[in-house]
């Protein structure tokens, strides 16, 4: 078989991850050559696995990893972990303990584990067979391969996991908190935040949606119709969009969805519909468009809430006279630049309080507030409740 170039190897790994959502890495002996995974923290786990696994199958605290050696050289492709059940607290604790993840990494790690696809053992072995065929042109007998490389693992898996083959309708719905976050952004008319959320989703593994039809296109349409109704009736109306206008839009997008001939068309329409509702909410809140300079300033602030930015940074970004631009910003937004920076940081802090388990100290540090007590006082001043009161009240909804 023709020798695989570094460029081809990288592309194949990225495509395999994009289509199967199973993290994959390439090593040259113990040196990491390429890593395809939405969560960078897993690199530590892969490096540890690769130290003892260049070919075959290995069992770890968080499941099975498989490796295929490329040709007769030093390159190996490692994929995993194979999971065919929802990660539990014991697995998460073992992972943190074994690989030394710090406190700030615990919640992103937990979310990543929950997002991993659950495979049957047979499907995982077939994935390894696909790797062998892609990289070596070799057709594996997966039963023989498993017996050859992991007799002890085979017995373990047979006892603990082999009977746990998940059908699609056995998966729990993983969309609730994502839906709540999306609705919050629609209600706020936050188009920028919505696009930021979409970017994050695109880089992560997909959320499992319930099965609502046997046909793939019908499944997409049914999910779209449910989503557009929820975005309109809950998100947009809560953001003060006119009720009649909202219902007309729901009817319009439902009819347009039924005309779609492919899943891709439905997906594109889904994005357009959500953005449309959000923009209409924003226009109702801010009927007059901002000037280009102020819009650039707003975007810069929203894009850097997790950095220690101040008024001088904003002025430098828009390259305008300090006194003139500060007056222009206040006239258009009704707020000073400094107050808007604080407001933007607090808005994103609300998202973390509502949709993550990060501590107050972690959130305060993430947004570069001078201290946790200062963050708490600002939050209560703006929203009339402490951060913890907000978190508790939001999770009761």
């Amino acid at each position: 078989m023709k020798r695989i170039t570094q460029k081809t190897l990288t592309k194949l790994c990225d495509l395999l991850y994009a289509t199967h959502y199973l993290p994959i890495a390439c090593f040259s002996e113990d040196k990491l050559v390429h890593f395809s995974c939405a969560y960078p923290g897993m690199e530590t786990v892969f490096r540890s696995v690769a130290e003892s696994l260049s070919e075959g199958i290995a069992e770890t605290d968080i499941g099975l990893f498989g490796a295929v050696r490329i040709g007769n050289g030093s390159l190996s492709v490692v994929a995993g972990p194979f999971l065919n059940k929802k990660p539990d607290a014991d697995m998460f604790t073992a992972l943190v303990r074994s690989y030394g993840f710090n406190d700030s990494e615990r919640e992103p790690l937990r979310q990543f584990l929950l997002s991993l696809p659950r495979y049957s053992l047979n499907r995982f072995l077939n994935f390894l067979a696909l790797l062998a065929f892609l990289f070596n042109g070799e057709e594996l007998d997966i039963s023989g391969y498993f017996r050859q490389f992991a007799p002890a693992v085979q017995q373990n898996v047979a006892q603990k996991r082999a009977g746990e083959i998940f059908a699609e309708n056995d998966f729990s719905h993983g969309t609730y908190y994502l839906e709540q976050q999306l609705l919050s952004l629609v209600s706020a008319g936050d188009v920028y935040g919505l696009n930021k959320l979409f970017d994050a989703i695109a880089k992560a593994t997909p959320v499992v949606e319930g099965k609502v039809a046997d046909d793939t296109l019908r499944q997409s349409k049914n999910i779209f119709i449910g989503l557009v109704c929820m975005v309109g009736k809950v998100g947009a109306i809560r953001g003060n969009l006119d009720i009649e206008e909202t219902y007309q839009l729901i009817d319009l997008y439902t009819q347009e969805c039924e005309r779609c001939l492919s899943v891709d068309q439905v997906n594109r329409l889904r994005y357009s519909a959500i953005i449309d509702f959000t923009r209409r909410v924003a226009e109702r809140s801010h009927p007059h468009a901002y000037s280009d300079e102020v819009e650039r300033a707003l975007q810069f602030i929203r894009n850097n809430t997790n950095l220690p930015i101040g008024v001088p940074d904003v002025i430098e970004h828009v390259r305008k006279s300090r006194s003139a631009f500060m007056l222009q910003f206040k006239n258009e937004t009704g707020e000073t630049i400094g107050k808007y920076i604080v407001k933007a940081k607090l808005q994103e802090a609300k998202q973390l309080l509502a949709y993550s388990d990060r501590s107050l100290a972690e959130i305060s540090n993430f947004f570069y507030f001078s201290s946790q007590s200062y963050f708490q006082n600002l939050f209560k001043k703006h929203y009339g409740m402490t951060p913890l009161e907000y978190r508790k009240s939001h999770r009761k909804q």
Side-chain angles (χ1 to χ4, degrees), residues 17-18 21 36-40 112 115 195-206:
Y17 179 66
Y21 313 114
S36 298
C37 179
Y39 180 58
F112 172 75
S115 72
N195 278 309
K196 199 172 179 181
L197 176 64
F198 289 154
D199 287 342
I201 294 170
K203 294 173 184 175
T205 54

Side-chain angles (χ1 to χ4, degrees), residues 81-137:
F82 150 63
L83 300 171
N84 65 353
K85 63 179 180 179
K86 185 177 180 179
D88 55 23
D90 291 340
M91 180 184 294
F92 179 65
T93 300
L95 182 60
V96 170
R97 183 181 63 246
S98 298
Y99 300 102
F101 287 98
N102 60 44
D103 288 344
S104 65
E105 295 175 298
R106 291 176 70 93
E107 177 59 20
L109 175 63
R110 189 178 73 85
Q111 293 295 335
F112 172 75
L113 287 179
L114 290 173
S115 72
L116 285 172
R118 273 94 77 189
Y119 282 2
S120 68
L121 177 60
N122 187 64
R123 186 177 174 188
F124 178 68
L125 294 175
N126 274 294
F127 181 77
L128 296 181
L130 172 63
L131 297 184
F133 185 77
L134 278 175
F135 294 112
N136 294 324

Side-chain angles (χ1 to χ4, degrees), residues 140-179:
L140 289 183
D141 168 17
I142 60 172
S143 298
Y145 183 77
F146 194 40
R147 287 195 300 271
Q148 175 188 352
F149 283 109
V153 172
Q154 182 185 27
Q155 183 178 0
N156 229 1
V157 170
Q159 292 172 350
K160 294 194 299 186
R161 299 190 183 93
E164 302 174 13
I165 300 174
F166 277 64
E168 185 175 358
N169 60 357
D170 290 328
F171 287 109
S172 61
H173 289 66
T175 61
Y176 176 75
Y177 289 109
L178 177 61
E179 288 168 357

Side-chain angles (χ1 to χ4, degrees), residues 266-331:
V266 176
N267 289 340
R268 286 194 294 270
L269 184 65
R270 175 160 45 179
Y271 171 80
S272 300
I274 297 171
I275 291 293
D276 187 19
F277 275 110
T278 309
R279 280 182 177 151
R280 288 171 187 262
V281 171
E283 288 168 2
R284 195 170 187 85
S285 303
H286 303 286
H288 302 292
Y290 296 124
S291 63
D292 290 343
E293 297 89 353
V294 171
E295 185 60 44
R296 286 207 311 274
L298 294 175
Q299 187 171 356
F300 174 78
I301 293 169
R302 294 170 189 152
N303 203 34
N304 292 282
T305 51
N306 63 327
L307 293 176
I309 61 170
V311 174
D313 301 297
V314 178
I315 299 295
E316 182 180 354
H317 180 74
V318 296
R319 298 184 182 279
K320 301 287 286 186
S321 162
R322 180 186 178 99
S323 57
F325 184 71
M326 289 181 71
L327 180 60
Q328 180 183 355
F329 189 96
K330 177 72 179 295
N331 288 338

Side-chain angles (χ1 to χ4, degrees), residues 337-349:
I337 295 174
K339 286 185 177 179
Y340 193 91
I341 291 172
V342 171
K343 179 181 176 181
K345 288 176 178 285
L346 290 175
Q347 283 286 351
E348 294 215 14

